[in-house]
């Protein structure tokens, strides 16, 4: 089942996959894809199979409908919400950078087929003042009980407003790493326009380090998903020439993250079909 799952995912993202023969346990594979946040990619893979190898038409139509509702329609709401939030901050003189989420989706073959959850933002060190402005002008309740970010809701989306990139109290090396993030986080030269609003994106070095640190933190505290590894694979594919890899891998060695980084790269190549030369031979 797992081999079939990975082959369908590879087909869904446009990578080479082994030939898939008759599949009888469609429900089990669909459930696995859902747990991994890859229901839309799973359906993309099915649509590349010969018609005789697909699940029954009624079931496939149901899954396609769920993808439209849970992925594509929600992604459009996600984009509009980000634009509205950026518009509020732009109007008040704050620059809003997106971390993970939307920034990752732009590197996917179909951005709308990456699941969208909460919205992580960095306001270039102006988080406290911006929260006060938000509460005063919009009457939005801001929750400050969390480590390294505050939380509020805009439309149906939870927003995590970072004043630190990582929890500086969690590990003795984190304050040193946070200083590096803060320095990288001052780069405001990368941005996109979304419904007429300027939205800042992480510089490639910042995004590379933040993604790897975030995936490793999930691995250490609970679990990681294939979707998170696809975020990394697509980022590398899109930004390979923009990242200072000697700098990044030196930092990963220094902070004890290099071994997992190499394993993540290996999974991207061996299980997800990314080209090995993207990862320097891992």
């Amino acid at each position: 089942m797992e081999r079939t799952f990975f082959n369908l995912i590879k087909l869904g993202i446009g990578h080479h996959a082994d030939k898939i023969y008759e599949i009888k346990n469609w429900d089990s594979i669909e459930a696995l894809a859902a747990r991994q946040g890859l229901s839309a990619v799973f359906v993309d893979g099915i649509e590349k199979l010969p018609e005789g190898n697909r699940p029954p038409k009624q079931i496939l139509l149901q899954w396609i409908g769920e993808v439209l509702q849970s992925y594509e329609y929600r992604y459009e709401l996600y984009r509009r919400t980000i634009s509205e939030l950026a518009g509020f901050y732009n109007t008040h003189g704050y620059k809003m950078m997106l971390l993970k989420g939307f920034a990752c989706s732009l590197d996917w073959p179909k951005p709308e087929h990456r699941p969208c959850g909460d919205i992580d933002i960095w306001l270039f060190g102006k988080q406290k003042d911006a929260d006060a402005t938000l509460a005063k002008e919009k009457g939005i309740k801001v929750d400050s009980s969390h480590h390294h970010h505050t939380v509020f809701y805009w439309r149906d989306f939870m927003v995590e407003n970072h004043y630190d990139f990582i929890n500086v109290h969690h590990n003795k090396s984190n304050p040193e790493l946070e200083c590096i993030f803060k320095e990288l986080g001052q780069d405001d030269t990368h941005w996109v326009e979304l419904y007429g609003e300027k939205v800042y994106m992480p510089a490639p070095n910042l995004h590379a380090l933040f993604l790897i640190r975030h995936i490793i933190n999930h691995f250490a505290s609970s679990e990681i998903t294939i979707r998170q590894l696809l975020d990394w694979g697509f980022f590398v594919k899109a930004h390979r020439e923009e990242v200072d890899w000697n700098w990044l891998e030196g930092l990963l060695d220094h902070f004890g993250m290099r071994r997992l980084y190499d394993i993540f790269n290996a999974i991207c190549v061996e299980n997800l079909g990314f080209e090995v030369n993207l990862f320097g031979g891992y």
Side-chain angles (χ1 to χ4, degrees):
M1 184 180 75
E2 290 180 0
R3 284 196 299 271
T4 301
F5 165 75
F6 276 114
N7 279 319
L8 283 168
I9 296 306
K10 285 189 282 188
L11 283 177
I13 60 177
H15 290 174
H16 172 76
D18 296 333
K19 187 174 182 179
I20 298 175
Y21 297 94
E22 183 182 7
I23 300 172
K24 296 181 179 179
N25 53 342
W26 280 110
D27 287 341
S28 297
I29 299 174
E30 190 277 334
L32 177 57
R35 289 198 301 273
Q36 297 297 322
L38 295 175
S39 295
V41 174
F42 166 72
V43 170
D44 290 335
I46 291 173
E47 292 180 337
K48 293 182 180 179
L49 293 175
E51 195 161 331
N53 284 11
R54 298 179 183 181
K57 187 174 182 179
Q58 184 176 355
I59 294 175
L60 181 55
L61 288 175
Q62 177 186 329
W63 290 343
I64 291 172
E66 290 170 357
V67 167
L68 286 172
Q69 186 68 38
S70 301
Y71 283 78
E72 296 183 9
Y73 295 161
R74 184 163 176 79
Y75 186 75
E76 180 59 21
L77 179 59
Y78 186 60
R79 294 174 77 246
R80 291 188 178 277
T81 301
I82 289 169
S83 176
E84 288 178 6
L85 186 59
F88 173 82
Y89 287 129
N90 290 336
T91 299
H92 292 84
Y94 302 110
K95 296 179 292 187
M96 186 185 87
M97 179 190 292
L98 292 173
L99 305 172
K100 303 179 299 179
F102 180 73
C104 290
S105 76
L106 296 181
D107 297 330
W108 283 51
K110 293 182 178 180
E112 69 276 15
H113 283 189
R114 181 196 184 275
C116 51
D118 54 13
I119 300 171
D120 289 78
I121 62 173
W122 161 251
L123 298 178
F124 294 84
K126 302 294 185 180
Q127 167 269 336
K128 186 175 181 180
D129 290 343
D131 277 352
T133 302
L134 185 75
K136 180 180 179 181
E137 297 208 5
K138 291 289 188 179
I140 291 176
K141 182 179 179 181
V142 178
D143 180 358
S144 58
S145 65
H146 302 263
H147 287 299
H148 73 82
H149 59 72
T150 56
V151 173
F152 61 89
Y153 284 84
W154 191 287
R155 285 200 182 215
D156 293 331
F157 292 91
M158 184 174 78
V159 180
E160 294 185 357
N161 188 3
H162 288 250
Y163 50 86
D164 288 330
F165 287 85
I166 57 176
N167 182 357
V168 296
H169 306 290
H170 187 259
N171 187 295
K172 64 181 181 181
S173 66
N174 281 6
E176 180 185 359
L177 186 56
E178 178 63 26
C179 289
I180 297 170
F181 278 125
K182 287 275 176 47
E183 182 178 354
L184 294 170
Q186 296 309 309
D187 187 340
D188 63 356
T189 60
H190 300 263
W191 55 274
V192 298
E193 187 173 297
L194 191 59
Y195 295 112
E197 296 294 344
K198 194 172 189 177
V199 181
Y200 291 86
M201 296 287 111
N205 283 341
L206 170 59
H207 204 178
L209 182 60
F210 191 70
L211 277 180
I212 284 295
R213 175 60 175 72
H214 181 73
I215 297 171
I216 287 175
N217 189 56
H218 269 262
F219 177 81
S221 62
S222 54
E223 63 181 8
I224 60 174
T225 64
I226 300 301
R227 192 272 301 161
Q228 289 174 296
L229 294 178
L230 284 176
D231 279 343
W232 174 246
F234 287 132
F235 167 80
V236 174
K237 186 175 182 179
H239 303 281
R240 172 72 195 174
E241 301 303 320
E242 303 169 73
V243 175
D244 184 341
W245 295 101
N246 289 332
W247 165 85
L248 177 65
E249 291 174 355
L251 276 181
L252 298 177
D253 279 328
H254 177 70
F255 288 103
M257 295 186 281
R258 180 60 183 268
R259 186 179 182 188
L260 277 173
Y261 160 82
D262 288 337
I263 291 171
F264 297 158
N265 288 344
I267 294 171
C268 284
V269 173
E270 296 175 15
N271 298 97
L272 297 172
F274 287 90
E275 294 182 8
V276 66
N277 61 357
L278 293 174
F279 301 89
Y282 63 86

